[in-house]
Amino acid sequence: MKLPDFDYRKPVSLTEACEMLSSEEDARPIAGGTDLIPAMKYGLKKPRVLVDISCLPALREITLTEKGLTIGAAVTLREIVKSGHNPLLTQACAAVGSTQLQAMGTLGGNLCQDTCCLYYNLPPMTRQALRPCFKRGGDTCHVTKSGKVCLATYAGDVAPALLALGAEVTIASPVRERTIPLGELFSGKGETPQTLNRGELVKEITIPSKKSFGSYLKLRVRKSIDYPLLGVAVNLFPNGEKGVSITVGLTAVERKPLSFTLPPDLSEEKRIEVWMTYLADEAYKRAHPVANTSGYSPQYRREMVKVYVKRAIEEALKKSDEKNLLDSK
Amino acid sequence: MIYWLLGAHGVEVEVDTETGEVKILKVYAAQDTGRAIHPDNCRAQLQGGVSMGIGFALYENILLEDGITLNPSLLDYKLPTAWEIPEIETILVETPHKEGPYGAKGMGETTNVALPPALANAIYDAVGVRIYDLPITPEKILRALRESKREEK
């Protein structure tokens, strides 16, 4: 499969990059290209201009300040794993695809990856046998036969971990920068999973510095290469006498990554089983996997949500120094 | 020249009864090779057969819908990666064949045949459920485990 024709631009500053993206017709940013290039080879995307942002100094930094950990959008997943700043983030980055994909893929690119669907990510020959679906600009969804919306699934590994960590995302544009909670980056639409406007770019991610213990578990058929069929990130923030606050992040079960927090009245609950069951049930309620992946059935994936949430909490508790404190209460 | 290809596989597994996931710990693969002219090559052939057998037993599956193959790529058609291949102990049983060149005989194709039944038997031995169709997915094991529990009651 050959790449379609495109023009290549290499801006030297972030401002120039944003300007190129807003002024050029049909331009797309490219960094690692691990999501975009395969889609282009399949003819699913045909941008006329690629703006290479992989070497922009403003996007390549990891800084640790009192406010928290800030990671530039063009820092590769491998670099994050090697830096080892945040154990939960490291675990999630190391779970992405394979080593090669981690070496090329970037943090911003991983967050901004497209949704996937068995009926969409097909080579041209196979695709032409199917009526165009919503994501291809058509009027049908093949996942559910009477589907009224696109059900393509967001299957990024890093987003649930960052959601569980309470991360914020800074978005650059030709006009002004804005910082929003990471959850707002995702639209929940299968066709256009991110809420970025024309000319906007993810600049950096900030994880607030707050002591926490987390774990990311990923359900997949094989231990390498595969997208998650379910991803569960759990992060525990010990609050001393006040108990514990917990955030759960889920991926590959909806059109966007999900997250939710243990309600305050339960955070003082002393028995671990009580809030573990609550979180597992809550995750189960929110997860709606559909039959658009190879591998396991949606019923199985949904069932595994409970098991994986519990196991992720157990694993996070093991890492926590505060375990004894929690047990003794 | 007619000859029989004899081989046997033994599999050690761990089954997660909560998720149905199977972990292969070790595979023992024995094969009658006639005289092994190049023993390392024979062992590599056995290892290759085992890895093919693992793919056959646990992962490979073509998804068809109205005649369309929905997983026409190696991302969606799952072959085992290096992670999925356990330690393999190869055993060459050399019984020189009287008509073969230097007593050798073929051992290529049959090395992947014994793995799926050996694995299914190992799963039965571990958790007491029989899976009769391939690939053996965690879902099938979990469902069979539930059914067997229901029958016990």
Side-chain angles (χ1 to χ4, degrees), chain A residues 42 118-119 122-123 126 129-130 145 221-227 294 296-297 300 303-304 307-308 311, chain B residues 16 18-19 21 59 63 65 68-70 72-76 78-81 83-84 138-139 142 146:
Chain A
Y42 266 24
L118 206 53
Y119 297 88
L122 288 169
T126 318
L130 288 168
K145 291 306 156 195
V221 177
R222 303 172 291 186
K223 286 201 198 79
S224 180
I225 304 172
D226 292 348
Y227 278 105
S294 62
Y296 308 142
S297 73
Y300 177 77
E303 216 177 296
M304 284 306 110
V307 179
Y308 273 64
R311 287 188 179 180
Chain B
D16 187 326
E18 216 177 350
T19 63
E21 278 164 316
Y59 308 111
L63 303 174
E65 197 172 294
I68 300 168
T69 304
L70 289 176
S73 73
L74 291 175
L75 178 64
D76 288 323
K78 312 283 185 192
L79 288 171
T81 70
W83 277 105
E84 276 72 44
E139 305 189 57
L142 209 56
R146 288 210 182 117

Side-chain angles (χ1 to χ4, degrees), chain A:
Chain A
M1 274 168 277
K2 272 174 71 182
L3 277 173
D5 285 338
F6 59 86
D7 283 340
Y8 176 81
R9 304 264 191 283
K10 195 158 187 182
V12 291
S13 73
L14 188 57
T15 329
E16 197 191 351
C18 292
E19 273 161 14
M20 280 178 182
L21 285 169
S22 59
S23 63
E24 299 269 11
E25 197 57 43
D26 203 9
R28 259 177 193 279
I30 183 166
T34 52
D35 194 44
L36 183 60
I37 297 291
M40 284 171 71
K41 285 199 168 185
Y42 266 24
L44 294 166
K45 291 193 184 115
K46 289 171 187 158
R48 295 241 311 268
V49 178
L50 289 185
V51 180
D52 188 349
I53 56 164
S54 62
C55 299
L56 292 178
L59 304 182
R60 293 277 304 138
E61 278 171 16
I62 302 181
T63 45
L64 194 59
T65 60
E66 276 173 26
K67 260 180 73 189
L69 177 66
T70 303
I71 305 174
V75 174
T76 68
L77 301 173
R78 204 75 210 147
E79 283 163 347
I80 296 174
V81 172
K82 277 191 192 158
S83 80
H85 278 304
N86 184 299
L88 174 56
L89 181 63
T90 301
Q91 209 185 351
C93 290
V96 174
S98 59
T99 314
Q100 293 90 331
L101 291 166
Q102 290 160 25
M104 290 301 289
T106 60
L107 178 64
N110 188 280
L111 293 174
C112 294
Q113 70 173 264
D114 203 0
T115 48
C116 9
C117 178
L118 206 53
Y119 297 88
Y120 171 74
N121 299 87
L122 288 169
M125 284 275 275
T126 318
R127 215 166 54 221
Q128 72 185 20
L130 288 168
R131 219 169 106 197
C133 68
F134 292 117
K135 202 165 164 63
R136 279 167 60 198
D139 58 354
T140 187
C141 177
H142 301 287
V143 181
T144 52
K145 291 306 156 195
S146 53
K148 301 265 186 301
V149 288
C150 174
L151 291 173
T153 306
Y154 181 84
D157 283 300
V158 184
L162 286 174
L163 285 172
L165 287 161
E168 286 185 329
V169 56
T170 304
I171 294 165
S173 84
V175 199
R176 64 186 175 91
E177 252 179 44
R178 59 186 175 116
T179 301
I180 51 169
L182 179 63
E184 290 175 23
L185 178 66
F186 303 102
S187 67
K189 286 181 198 147
E191 299 97 324
T192 47
Q194 282 79 22
T195 54
L196 295 174
N197 301 316
R198 186 168 163 172
E200 283 189 328
L201 258 180
V202 171
K203 186 191 169 199
E204 61 196 19
I205 305 291
T206 306
I207 301 167
S209 57
K210 206 172 166 193
K211 197 176 184 193
S212 66
F213 303 91
S215 174
Y216 178 68
L217 290 185
K218 172 172 176 175
L219 172 70
R220 49 179 163 185
V221 177
R222 303 172 291 186
K223 286 201 198 79
S224 180
I225 304 172
D226 292 348
Y227 278 105
L229 292 166
L230 160 69
V232 177
V234 166
N235 202 27
L236 290 120
F237 302 94
N239 285 344
E241 284 303 301
K242 282 186 194 154
V244 67
S245 68
I246 304 177
T247 313
V248 177
L250 296 172
T251 192
V253 288
E254 252 298 347
R255 286 162 286 175
K256 64 174 181 177
L258 308 171
S259 74
F260 60 95
T261 308
L262 190 70
D265 57 312
L266 272 175
S267 68
E268 284 171 39
E269 173 61 53
K270 290 168 183 74
R271 286 160 301 163
I272 290 172
E273 305 76 48
V274 175
W275 45 257
M276 218 188 231
T277 311
Y278 172 85
L279 291 170
D281 289 345
E282 196 62 23
Y284 181 81
K285 263 186 241 163
R286 287 162 197 254
H288 298 286
V290 289
N292 65 352
T293 59
S294 62
Y296 308 142
S297 73
Q299 293 80 7
Y300 177 77
R301 284 158 64 203
R302 191 160 184 225
E303 216 177 296
M304 284 306 110
V305 172
K306 282 188 182 182
V307 179
Y308 273 64
V309 168
K310 283 187 179 169
R311 287 188 179 180
I313 295 173
E314 278 164 9
E315 210 180 280
L317 279 171
K318 260 187 224 158
K319 288 181 195 167
S320 147
D321 304 336
E322 314 283 331
K323 187 181 186 301
N324 296 331
L325 194 145
L326 285 167
D327 282 348
S328 62
K329 279 174 70 182

